[in-house]
Amino acid sequence: MLTGQETGEIWFVYDGDCPVCTYAARALRIRESVGALHLLDARADRDHPLIQRITAAGLDLDEGMVIAFGDRLYHGADALQVMALLGSSHGWFNRLNAALFRSPAIARIAYPLMRAGRNLLIRLRGAAPIGNLTAR
């Protein structure tokens, strides 16, 4: 997954209508040695070039968050694992994230459950899907 050579800009693309996603975006800290973290709300910034790149790659933002790091896009469980690998040890959220999701197997098992919770929260809030893969 990661070669250990990556540094620079890290983009976390999340659903701004999901309270858990928003908390994760605000709580996530990346080790300083890795690079700068940028947050991108997929609902608020629909015309951002990175959203266009994600859409062109066929990644469904209703099915998972995206981490853009180097020239790669990580989606869903892969993004969760990258967050764990790049995260700092600052704060309980980052320590828990690293402990749980460094393992690809655990990330793959946990992510569908997390996505189901996110989808339930979105429905309860009455928010429409992001729909980045549907024609506007």
Side-chain angles (χ1 to χ4, degrees):
M1 172 168 287
L2 296 177
T3 65
Q5 302 299 314
E6 298 90 346
T7 58
E9 304 285 309
I10 300 110
W11 288 81
F12 178 25
V13 183
Y14 68 99
D15 185 341
D17 273 356
C18 170
V20 175
C21 304
T22 300
Y23 179 81
R26 291 184 181 148
L28 180 64
R29 299 290 178 262
I30 299 296
R31 291 188 312 267
E32 288 182 23
S33 62
V34 175
L37 175 65
H38 303 279
L39 304 178
L40 183 60
D41 178 345
R43 292 181 186 272
D45 297 311
R46 294 179 67 84
D47 294 326
H48 192 280
L50 181 54
I51 301 293
Q52 294 171 3
R53 180 175 160 212
I54 290 166
T55 299
L59 302 177
D60 189 344
L61 289 168
D62 289 311
E63 293 298 317
M65 63 188 166
V66 171
I67 296 285
F69 185 44
D71 61 352
R72 303 250 343 247
L73 297 174
Y74 300 91
H75 183 245
D78 292 334
L80 186 62
Q81 186 188 17
V82 168
M83 286 171 55
L85 292 171
L86 299 180
S88 78
S89 60
H90 177 71
W92 70 268
F93 172 83
N94 293 286
R95 286 191 299 275
L96 179 65
N97 187 51
L100 291 176
F101 304 121
R102 282 185 187 269
S103 162
I106 293 173
R108 293 219 181 283
I109 291 167
Y111 196 77
L113 299 171
M114 295 170 65
R115 185 180 61 228
R118 172 220 175 255
N119 290 343
L120 177 63
L121 287 172
I122 295 298
R123 276 192 291 267
L124 290 173
R125 292 182 64 122
I130 295 171
N132 69 303
L133 295 183
T134 59
R136 292 199 247 175

